[in-house]
Amino acid sequence: MDRRQRIAIFTTASLPWMTGTAINPLFRAAYLAKGGDRKITLVIPWLSLKDQKLVYPDNAMFGSPWEQESYIGQWLERRIAFIPDFGICFYPGKFAVDKRSIIPVGDILEIIPNEEADIAILEEPEHLTWFHHGKRWKTKFRLHILAVDAADGEEKSTRGEENRIPRLSKLSAATQDYPRSIICNLHGVNPKFLEVGKKIFEQLQSRNRAFTKGAYYIGKMELAGLEIDLYGNTEDSDQVKEAGNKLKLVVRVHPGRDHADPLFHDTTDVVCTTTAEALAMGKIVICANHPSNDFFKQFSNCRTYDDGNVFIEATRNVEPVPLTDAQR
């Protein structure tokens, strides 16, 4: 008998939709399966061809779940240093245009056999449970259920699911408050970001020079004379270019790239999960003193501000320091 701990990860998105609820659960499945002492199943939505056209970029289309599974596997193997050993199961999903989210169709708990229902991890639980009508989650899974909540706003309420889910992990204090919830930035970062940070500090020390690079800014575009490079594949690319022309801004839109691409070793965007990636790469992060950023205040290279004067001061004499082993 297979006595490994069995974990099912349910999420509401999958590649090639480049969203956090597609990418973070995928890496989570790969790294939880590493070592072979757990049996991991990633449960993701299967969309009709009509919905695939609405969601997936670059006209990516899959005639069967097996084609999409192969695409996901190839994408992942190019980004990790080991061969992942976990299963992928699909549930029928429908893209809700009004919510810009994928909603499960039917009882998704039937995907996992009862004898394998030890632990469940729910990514974006409010969407997974919005129309749920099957067996109770904590009845189906014997040991534990962890829900990972990255949502905000009242519209994304779990609608009573707080009574079904024993433990809810909020990624920051900026999201809604729920009974029995904890705040934990449990995504971490891909080890390649830590490797980039270590390499940069080694190069700086060997050349005996200070950090002299500029800054990458994310916020409201209220400053004149900016030249902006945008990276990403979305249905809004043409509208972004048009808006830039109307505002007389120099906006260059490029195809999307991996956050660890060498292009971004000197600069990177720094919001949400990518704040952790920037810190891992040895960068200084200057962010608002806001509950969503509380987790990052423990890092020496994170500076927070409450007003413009403090922000200006935070940008002066900025010299990053290497991460400690504990911070890594």
Side-chain angles (χ1 to χ4, degrees):
M1 178 183 293
D2 186 349
R3 297 187 180 278
R4 292 180 297 173
Q5 190 179 68
R6 290 158 294 195
I7 302 175
I9 304 173
F10 293 82
T11 189
T12 55
S14 61
L15 296 177
W17 196 10
M18 298 292 289
T19 183
T21 46
I23 296 172
N24 288 328
L26 178 60
F27 280 118
R28 195 186 315 286
Y31 280 92
L32 282 175
K34 188 178 181 181
D37 56 340
R38 306 180 185 95
K39 182 179 181 181
I40 308 298
T41 303
L42 178 63
V43 187
I44 58 178
W46 167 253
L47 297 178
S48 66
L49 293 177
K50 177 182 176 181
D51 281 358
Q52 288 184 38
K53 291 180 180 179
L54 296 174
V55 176
Y56 298 149
D58 301 328
N59 296 316
M61 302 287 287
F62 304 99
S64 70
W66 298 276
E67 288 183 22
Q68 189 168 4
E69 182 176 351
S70 176
Y71 173 93
I72 293 171
Q74 293 174 15
W75 185 95
L76 181 62
E77 288 179 8
R78 292 194 298 268
R79 288 163 174 80
I80 58 178
F82 59 94
I83 302 298
D85 183 19
F86 63 92
I88 294 181
C89 290
F90 290 83
Y91 63 82
K94 182 174 178 59
F95 182 65
V97 178
D98 59 330
K99 296 179 176 62
R100 302 295 297 170
S101 299
I102 296 174
I103 304 297
V105 177
D107 184 5
I108 61 176
L109 293 187
E110 295 179 351
I111 299 293
I112 302 298
N114 290 333
E115 63 272 16
E116 296 190 6
D118 289 343
I119 297 174
I121 298 176
L122 281 62
E123 309 266 353
E124 210 168 38
E126 66 284 357
H127 295 171
L128 288 168
T129 60
W130 201 288
F131 300 112
H132 181 67
H133 56 79
K135 184 183 294 186
R136 291 166 63 90
W137 287 87
K138 63 182 182 181
T139 300
K140 170 78 173 186
F141 287 90
R142 292 182 290 274
L143 300 182
H144 193 70
I145 299 172
L146 171 67
V148 183
D149 180 42
D152 58 355
E154 289 300 321
E155 182 183 2
K156 295 188 176 183
S157 168
T158 55
R159 295 198 174 192
E161 278 300 313
E162 63 270 13
N163 293 322
R164 298 189 186 191
I165 299 173
R167 181 54 59 94
L168 179 69
S169 176
K170 302 197 305 176
L171 297 186
S172 85
T175 60
Q176 285 177 254
D177 192 23
Y178 298 104
R180 298 182 299 279
S181 64
I182 61 172
I183 299 172
C184 180
N185 192 305
L186 47 74
H187 283 330
V189 297
N190 191 310
K192 67 172 63 177
F193 292 101
L194 294 167
E195 294 167 5
V196 170
K198 183 178 180 181
K199 182 178 179 181
I200 288 176
F201 277 110
E202 289 175 349
Q203 291 174 343
L204 290 175
Q205 290 177 343
S206 65
R207 299 171 188 171
N208 194 27
R209 65 183 180 87
F211 182 80
T212 59
K213 298 296 181 181
Y216 191 103
Y217 168 77
I218 284 187
K220 294 181 179 179
M221 295 194 300
E222 298 175 346
L223 301 176
L226 290 178
E227 292 190 9
I228 303 166
D229 288 279
L230 301 178
Y231 293 86
N233 303 318
T234 74
E235 65 270 24
D236 302 326
S237 296
D238 292 337
Q239 292 93 317
V240 170
K241 292 179 183 178
E242 183 179 346
N245 292 333
K246 288 182 178 179
L247 295 172
K248 297 181 179 180
L249 294 172
V250 179
V251 179
R252 295 176 288 267
V253 180
H254 309 277
R257 296 196 183 207
D258 190 284
H259 290 170
D261 189 287
L263 177 68
F264 302 127
H265 284 190
D266 290 332
T267 58
T268 186
D269 53 341
V270 284
V271 294
C272 301
T273 304
T274 50
T275 300
E277 294 171 350
L279 290 168
M281 295 172 77
K283 304 179 187 305
I284 289 174
V285 171
I286 302 174
C287 56
N289 185 15
H290 184 269
S292 62
N293 293 321
D294 283 350
F295 171 81
F296 303 109
K297 294 178 182 178
Q298 65 182 291
F299 295 91
S300 302
N301 291 334
C302 180
R303 321 287 168 81
T304 60
Y305 65 90
D306 293 290
D307 56 48
N309 291 329
V310 178
F311 173 83
I312 293 173
E313 187 62 31
T315 64
R316 293 175 175 160
N317 302 318
V318 287
E319 194 70 29
V321 297
L323 297 180
T324 66
D325 289 341
Q327 289 173 336
R328 287 168 61 86

Coordinates of all heavy atoms in Angstrom, one line a residue, residues 120-155:
A120 N -6.2 18.9 1.6 CA -6.6 19.7 0.4 C -6.0 21.1 0.6 O -6.0 21.6 1.7 CB -8.1 19.8 0.3
I121 N -5.4 21.6 -0.5 CA -5.0 23.0 -0.5 C -5.9 23.7 -1.6 O -5.9 23.3 -2.7 CB -3.5 23.2 -0.9 CG1 -2.7 22.5 0.2 CG2 -3.1 24.6 -1.0 CD1 -1.2 22.5 -0.1
L122 N -6.6 24.8 -1.2 CA -7.5 25.5 -2.1 C -6.9 26.8 -2.4 O -6.7 27.7 -1.5 CB -8.9 25.7 -1.4 CG -9.9 24.5 -1.4 CD1 -9.3 23.3 -0.7 CD2 -11.2 25.0 -0.8
E123 N -6.5 27.1 -3.6 CA -6.0 28.3 -4.1 C -7.2 29.1 -4.6 O -8.0 28.7 -5.5 CB -5.0 28.2 -5.2 CG -3.9 27.2 -4.9 CD -2.7 27.8 -4.3 OE1 -2.6 29.1 -4.3 OE2 -1.7 27.1 -3.9
E124 N -7.4 30.3 -4.1 CA -8.5 31.2 -4.5 C -9.8 30.5 -4.1 O -10.7 30.2 -4.9 CB -8.5 31.5 -5.9 CG -9.2 32.9 -6.2 CD -8.9 33.4 -7.6 OE1 -8.9 32.5 -8.6 OE2 -8.7 34.6 -7.8
P125 N -10.0 30.2 -2.8 CA -11.1 29.4 -2.3 C -12.5 30.0 -2.6 O -13.4 29.2 -2.8 CB -10.8 29.3 -0.8 CG -10.0 30.5 -0.5 CD -9.1 30.7 -1.7
E126 N -12.5 31.3 -2.6 CA -13.9 31.9 -2.8 C -14.4 31.6 -4.2 O -15.6 31.4 -4.3 CB -13.8 33.5 -2.6 CG -13.0 34.2 -3.6 CD -11.5 34.1 -3.4 OE1 -11.1 33.5 -2.4 OE2 -10.7 34.6 -4.2
H127 N -13.6 31.4 -5.2 CA -14.1 31.0 -6.5 C -14.4 29.5 -6.6 O -15.3 29.1 -7.2 CB -13.1 31.4 -7.6 CG -12.9 32.9 -7.7 ND1 -11.9 33.5 -8.5 CD2 -13.6 33.9 -7.1 CE1 -12.0 34.8 -8.4 NE2 -13.0 35.1 -7.5
L128 N -13.6 28.7 -5.9 CA -13.8 27.3 -5.9 C -15.1 26.9 -5.1 O -15.7 25.9 -5.5 CB -12.6 26.6 -5.2 CG -11.3 26.5 -5.9 CD1 -10.2 26.1 -5.0 CD2 -11.4 25.6 -7.1
T129 N -15.5 27.7 -4.2 CA -16.6 27.4 -3.3 C -17.9 28.2 -3.7 O -18.9 28.0 -3.0 CB -16.3 27.6 -1.9 OG1 -15.9 28.9 -1.6 CG2 -15.1 26.7 -1.4
W130 N -17.8 29.1 -4.6 CA -18.9 30.0 -4.9 C -20.2 29.2 -5.2 O -21.3 29.5 -4.6 CB -18.6 30.9 -6.1 CG -19.4 32.2 -6.1 CD1 -20.7 32.3 -6.4 CD2 -18.9 33.5 -5.8 NE1 -21.1 33.6 -6.4 CE2 -20.0 34.3 -6.0 CE3 -17.7 34.0 -5.5 CZ2 -20.0 35.7 -5.8 CZ3 -17.6 35.4 -5.3 CH2 -18.7 36.2 -5.4
F131 N -20.1 28.2 -6.1 CA -21.3 27.5 -6.4 C -21.2 26.0 -6.0 O -21.8 25.1 -6.6 CB -21.6 27.5 -7.9 CG -21.8 28.9 -8.4 CD1 -20.8 29.5 -9.3 CD2 -22.9 29.7 -8.1 CE1 -21.0 30.8 -9.7 CE2 -23.1 31.0 -8.6 CZ -22.1 31.5 -9.4
H132 N -20.4 25.8 -5.0 CA -20.1 24.4 -4.6 C -21.4 23.8 -4.0 O -22.0 24.3 -3.1 CB -19.0 24.3 -3.5 CG -18.7 22.9 -3.1 ND1 -18.1 22.0 -3.9 CD2 -18.8 22.3 -1.9 CE1 -17.9 20.9 -3.3 NE2 -18.3 21.1 -2.0
H133 N -21.8 22.6 -4.4 CA -23.0 21.9 -3.9 C -22.7 20.5 -3.6 O -23.7 19.7 -3.4 CB -24.1 22.0 -5.0 CG -23.7 21.4 -6.3 ND1 -23.7 20.1 -6.6 CD2 -23.2 22.0 -7.4 CE1 -23.3 19.9 -7.8 NE2 -23.0 21.1 -8.4
G134 N -21.5 20.0 -3.5 CA -21.2 18.6 -3.3 C -20.9 18.4 -1.8 O -21.4 19.1 -0.9
K135 N -20.2 17.3 -1.5 CA -19.9 17.0 -0.1 C -19.1 18.1 0.5 O -18.3 18.8 -0.1 CB -19.1 15.7 -0.1 CG -18.7 15.1 1.3 CD -17.8 13.9 1.2 CE -18.6 12.7 0.6 NZ -17.7 11.5 0.6
R136 N -19.2 18.2 1.9 CA -18.5 19.3 2.6 C -17.0 19.0 2.5 O -16.5 17.8 2.6 CB -18.9 19.3 4.0 CG -20.3 19.8 4.3 CD -20.8 19.5 5.7 NE -20.0 20.2 6.7 CZ -20.2 21.4 7.2 NH1 -21.3 22.1 6.7 NH2 -19.5 21.9 8.1
W137 N -16.2 20.0 2.3 CA -14.7 19.9 2.1 C -14.1 19.1 3.3 O -13.3 18.2 3.2 CB -14.1 21.2 2.0 CG -14.3 21.8 0.6 CD1 -15.4 22.6 0.3 CD2 -13.5 21.7 -0.5 NE1 -15.3 23.0 -1.1 CE2 -14.1 22.4 -1.6 CE3 -12.3 21.1 -0.8 CZ2 -13.6 22.5 -2.9 CZ3 -11.8 21.1 -2.1 CH2 -12.4 21.9 -3.1
K138 N -14.5 19.5 4.6 CA -13.8 18.9 5.7 C -14.4 17.5 6.0 O -13.9 16.8 6.9 CB -13.9 19.8 6.9 CG -15.3 20.1 7.4 CD -15.2 21.1 8.6 CE -16.6 21.4 9.2 NZ -16.4 22.4 10.3
T139 N -15.5 17.2 5.3 CA -16.0 15.8 5.4 C -15.2 14.9 4.4 O -14.9 13.8 4.7 CB -17.5 15.7 5.1 OG1 -18.2 16.5 6.1 CG2 -18.0 14.3 5.2
K140 N -14.9 15.4 3.3 CA -14.2 14.7 2.2 C -12.8 14.4 2.6 O -12.3 13.3 2.5 CB -14.3 15.5 0.9 CG -13.4 15.0 -0.2 CD -14.0 13.8 -0.9 CE -13.1 13.4 -2.1 NZ -13.8 12.3 -2.9
F141 N -12.1 15.5 3.1 CA -10.6 15.4 3.4 C -10.4 15.1 4.9 O -10.9 15.9 5.7 CB -9.9 16.6 2.9 CG -9.8 16.7 1.5 CD1 -10.8 17.3 0.7 CD2 -8.7 16.1 0.8 CE1 -10.7 17.4 -0.7 CE2 -8.6 16.1 -0.6 CZ -9.6 16.8 -1.3
R142 N -9.7 14.1 5.2 CA -9.6 13.6 6.6 C -8.7 14.4 7.5 O -9.0 14.5 8.7 CB -9.1 12.1 6.5 CG -10.1 11.1 5.9 CD -9.5 9.7 6.0 NE -8.4 9.5 5.1 CZ -8.5 9.2 3.8 NH1 -9.8 9.1 3.3 NH2 -7.5 9.1 3.0
L143 N -7.6 14.9 7.0 CA -6.6 15.4 7.9 C -6.6 17.0 8.0 O -6.7 17.5 9.1 CB -5.2 15.0 7.4 CG -4.9 13.5 7.3 CD1 -3.5 13.3 6.9 CD2 -5.2 12.9 8.7
H144 N -6.6 17.7 6.9 CA -6.5 19.1 7.0 C -6.9 19.8 5.7 O -6.8 19.2 4.6 CB -5.0 19.5 7.3 CG -4.8 20.9 7.7 ND1 -5.3 21.4 8.9 CD2 -4.3 21.9 7.1 CE1 -5.0 22.6 9.0 NE2 -4.3 23.0 8.0
I145 N -7.4 21.0 5.8 CA -7.7 21.8 4.6 C -7.1 23.2 4.8 O -7.3 23.8 5.8 CB -9.2 21.9 4.4 CG1 -9.8 20.6 4.2 CG2 -9.5 22.8 3.2 CD1 -11.4 20.6 4.1
L146 N -6.3 23.6 3.9 CA -5.7 24.9 3.9 C -6.2 25.7 2.7 O -6.1 25.3 1.5 CB -4.2 24.9 3.9 CG -3.4 26.2 3.7 CD1 -3.6 27.1 4.9 CD2 -2.0 26.0 3.4
A147 N -6.8 26.9 2.9 CA -7.2 27.7 1.8 C -6.3 28.9 1.7 O -6.0 29.6 2.7 CB -8.7 28.2 2.1
V148 N -5.8 29.2 0.5 CA -4.9 30.3 0.2 C -5.7 31.4 -0.4 O -6.1 31.3 -1.5 CB -3.7 29.8 -0.7 CG1 -2.8 31.0 -0.9 CG2 -3.0 28.6 -0.1
D149 N -5.8 32.5 0.3 CA -6.7 33.6 -0.1 C -5.9 34.8 -0.6 O -5.1 35.4 0.2 CB -7.6 34.0 1.0 CG -8.6 35.2 0.6 OD1 -9.0 35.1 -0.6 OD2 -8.8 36.1 1.4
A150 N -6.0 35.2 -1.8 CA -5.3 36.3 -2.4 C -6.3 37.4 -2.8 O -6.0 38.3 -3.5 CB -4.4 36.0 -3.5
A151 N -7.6 37.2 -2.4 CA -8.7 38.1 -2.9 C -8.8 39.3 -2.1 O -8.4 39.4 -0.9 CB -10.0 37.3 -3.0
D152 N -9.5 40.3 -2.6 CA -9.9 41.5 -1.8 C -11.2 41.9 -2.3 O -11.7 41.6 -3.3 CB -8.9 42.6 -2.0 CG -8.7 43.1 -3.4 OD1 -9.3 42.4 -4.3 OD2 -8.0 44.1 -3.6
G153 N -11.9 42.7 -1.4 CA -13.2 43.2 -1.8 C -14.4 42.3 -1.4 O -14.2 41.1 -1.3
E154 N -15.5 42.9 -1.1 CA -16.6 42.1 -0.6 C -17.2 41.2 -1.6 O -17.8 40.2 -1.3 CB -17.8 43.1 -0.1 CG -17.4 43.8 1.2 CD -17.1 42.9 2.3 OE1 -17.8 41.9 2.5 OE2 -16.2 43.1 3.1
E155 N -17.1 41.5 -2.9 CA -17.6 40.7 -4.0 C -17.0 39.3 -4.0 O -17.7 38.3 -4.4 CB -17.4 41.3 -5.3 CG -18.0 40.5 -6.5 CD -17.7 41.1 -7.8 OE1 -17.0 42.1 -7.9 OE2 -18.2 40.5 -8.8

